[in-house]
Amino acid sequence: MTEAPRVRLAEAEVFERPVEFRFPFRFGSARVATAPQAFVRVRVEDARGRSAIGWSAEMMMPKWFDKNPGLSPEDNVEQLRASLRLAIEGLTSLQAQTPFGLHAAAEGDHHRAAAGHGLPALVASYGLALLDRAILDALCRMTGASAAGAVRANLPGITGATAPDLEGFDLARFLSRLEPGPRLAVRHTIGLADALTAADLAPGQRLEDGLPQTLEEVIAAYGHRYFKIKVSGRPAEDTRRLLAIAAVLDQRVDAYRVTLDGNEQFENADAVADLLDRIAEEPRLEKLRASALFFEQPIARAEALSRPVTEVARRMPLEIDESDGDIGAFLRARALGYAGISSKSCKGFYRALVNRARVEMWNAEAGAARYFMSAEDLTTQSGLALQQDLVLAGLVGAGHVERNGHHYVDGMAGAPAAEQAAYLAHHGDLYESGSGRARLAIRGGEVTFSTVLRSVGLGSSVEPDWAAMVS
């Protein structure tokens, strides 16, 4: 293994770009139609005086990181801005370390500082996650490495410092064997308010942008085989919605797999059991039930890790998502009966790799593939954010990835034409041109991203147009 370079964060800037949705998306009871995307640019220096620039990007999505109904979408965005400011303050105050060493040294203080400002753990994770990725990107550019190559050689200097439970696990060997493939199946999210057929569109709802709008049209256009179904926490209504969805999937897709996502809408495990029992008792849902892989974060985070879910988990494996606010969350969830955890770039690149190592260790101890990690993130936008998340999804070995930013936004609609053209030129396997825009290319239900994996840096050969953003 090459010795991990030691760097310090010399400078960091945050920019924003507005993103308009084609139609609103529902997060539980909230509807979101627009949100800014944050872009981070850093400069790191090493002991030899070398300097490198790194980038990262992520949506500042309201009503997911903090679902407090008393906060407006603008309040939620300001929380994420505050998290970024705190992460910059913490990291720039540190002496030179390996990139992971900077993360490990900053993590505890950052979460404590965020809590002192009233920011939930998930909000705190956002700021540190973007800075970590930008620093890793800079390291890769400094050393001329791709992100996957850097991780295999452990150039970030990843250790068990943040996860003492991994003591005795050969982390270096684990990292050296991570070999992301160039293709992933795309798991299409069926939102609570999404139209399933043309008959579901009310007068005036039909868009004339040449993109699919209903579930039937999405299947026809992209050939999806994997689906993520949002449920509302109201078992009777959810069962009716699942019947309508199953009617489309059973007819349009020969063999499919689904996951369920509760988005914290269920009050407790009893409500989850109620829905799963209704599904099991409904003959028309037999194929959908047999295709189900897991149930993602059904219970609100305030309750989710407060008591065992073992009985419900016997019906269907349960995964945490919003409850994953810190590096210890998966340990607490496992003890209560959860088997899975989501990988999301907005929660942390290093956290995902550590949790993937835990899955490896626990399954080896169990002698069976009992624990799992999935790749999730509904709103990730085409370009830098998408490509960085695809690298992470590939590294953790996800065979499929939730990806719906392309469905709610028309390609790179908010980016300048020259930036879009650069993505088409450098990452033509991942994008295609349509109606004058660079759009995600999904063929046979899959995306191909060989150019992303080969890129020097964390997934992208294209520098964002900073002048076209606000700082």
Side-chain angles (χ1 to χ4, degrees):
M1 183 189 84
T2 305
E3 184 177 355
R6 297 169 68 85
V7 297
R8 72 176 187 90
L9 179 59
E11 298 177 38
E13 300 172 276
V14 179
F15 302 80
E16 293 181 19
R17 175 181 287 168
V19 178
E20 302 289 335
F21 291 7
R22 296 172 62 215
F23 45 85
F25 181 77
R26 243 179 97 185
F27 283 99
S29 58
R31 292 170 67 90
V32 181
T34 183
Q37 185 178 20
F39 289 78
V40 172
R41 181 173 65 190
V42 304
R43 184 174 65 84
V44 303
E45 295 176 347
D46 71 359
R48 294 160 51 188
R50 292 185 301 174
S51 179
I53 305 296
W55 327 309
S56 63
E58 198 71 57
M59 284 293 286
M60 306 178 88
M61 202 67 200
K63 299 303 175 186
W64 185 78
F65 294 91
D66 187 346
K67 297 175 184 174
N68 180 348
L71 296 177
S72 69
E74 293 75 20
D75 293 332
N76 289 147
V77 171
E78 187 52 47
Q79 287 179 308
L80 298 174
R81 292 183 181 124
S83 180
L84 284 164
R85 289 192 295 268
L86 290 171
I88 291 171
E89 291 171 11
L91 286 163
T92 52
S93 71
L94 297 174
Q95 298 298 312
Q97 302 257 17
T98 66
F100 179 79
L102 290 172
H103 162 81
E107 186 177 45
D109 288 342
H110 173 70
H111 274 266
R112 283 187 287 273
H117 285 76
L119 301 178
L122 208 56
V123 175
S125 298
Y126 177 91
L128 190 59
L130 264 77
L131 268 295
D132 283 341
R133 275 163 39 211
I135 292 169
L136 176 58
D137 183 56
L139 171 79
C140 291
R141 296 181 191 283
M142 179 181 285
T143 57
S146 69
V151 168
R152 282 195 298 273
N154 201 9
L155 292 183
I158 301 169
T159 70
T162 61
D165 55 289
L166 287 175
E167 184 179 359
F169 179 76
D170 192 341
L171 193 56
R173 181 172 181 270
F174 164 75
L175 294 172
S176 72
R177 299 172 67 188
L178 298 181
E179 188 67 52
R183 290 185 179 84
L184 280 172
V186 175
R187 188 155 33 94
H188 173 75
T189 302
I190 307 170
L192 293 170
D194 287 2
L196 306 182
T197 70
D200 296 329
L201 293 173
Q205 281 190 317
R206 171 59 72 181
L207 302 176
E208 301 299 336
D209 56 11
L211 292 171
Q213 191 168 351
T214 69
L215 176 59
E216 286 185 334
E217 293 163 358
V218 163
I219 293 169
Y222 300 131
H224 289 299
R225 306 181 310 279
Y226 287 81
F227 302 87
K228 175 171 177 171
I229 303 173
K230 298 283 187 178
V231 288
S232 69
R234 296 181 290 273
E237 293 180 24
D238 286 334
T239 303
R240 289 193 292 272
R241 174 71 169 170
L242 290 172
L243 283 167
I245 291 170
V248 174
L249 297 183
D250 290 355
Q251 182 180 18
R252 300 284 179 174
V253 189
D254 289 337
Y256 63 83
R257 304 305 297 266
V258 304
T259 65
L260 302 181
D261 184 8
N263 270 130
E264 305 186 80
Q265 296 301 299
F266 291 75
E267 291 184 6
N268 51 46
D270 290 341
V272 182
D274 184 4
L275 174 60
L276 294 178
D277 288 344
R278 288 171 185 261
I279 294 172
E281 293 163 3
E282 173 53 71
R284 290 170 292 177
L285 293 177
E286 181 178 357
K287 184 176 179 181
L288 185 143
R289 173 63 186 87
S291 78
L293 299 171
F294 58 85
F295 201 151
E296 179 185 349
Q297 191 77 40
I299 305 169
R301 75 190 82 167
E303 171 75 14
L305 301 185
S306 65
R307 63 193 65 187
V309 294
T310 312
E311 287 301 316
V312 182
R314 289 195 178 100
R315 295 166 169 86
M316 185 179 294
L318 300 183
E319 174 182 85
I320 62 165
D321 181 26
E322 288 96 334
S323 286
D324 179 22
D326 61 71
I327 193 65
F330 199 11
L331 296 174
R332 299 191 297 273
R334 179 200 184 203
L336 295 173
Y338 292 88
I341 193 165
S342 64
S343 164
K344 283 186 174 179
S345 288
C346 65
K347 295 193 298 185
F349 189 92
Y350 297 126
R351 185 188 299 174
L353 291 179
V354 167
N355 282 330
R356 180 62 184 82
R358 286 168 167 160
V359 167
E360 189 88 355
M361 182 176 74
W362 295 344
N363 283 340
E365 292 170 350
R370 182 178 301 168
Y371 301 96
F372 64 92
M373 170 174 270
S374 71
E376 313 290 329
D377 209 345
L378 174 77
T379 62
T380 302
Q381 291 303 300
S382 293
L384 181 59
L386 168 70
Q387 292 171 209
Q388 292 186 335
D389 193 63
L390 286 175
V391 171
L392 182 58
L395 283 169
V396 301
H400 50 89
V401 57
E402 177 198 17
R403 195 57 76 228
N404 251 48
H406 64 280
H407 185 53
Y408 291 96
V409 177
D410 185 355
M412 298 182 190
E419 185 177 322
Q420 296 190 48
Y423 276 107
L424 287 167
H426 289 277
H427 298 290
D429 56 342
L430 184 59
Y431 303 108
E432 59 190 5
S433 181
S435 299
R437 292 188 173 137
R439 291 171 171 170
L440 186 63
I442 304 175
R443 302 182 179 98
E446 295 182 338
V447 289
T448 301
F449 53 104
S450 296
T451 58
V452 168
L453 295 175
R454 291 198 303 265
S455 292
V456 171
L458 182 47
S460 180
S461 298
V462 178
E463 183 170 4
D465 186 343
W466 307 105
M469 304 179 199
V470 296
S471 58

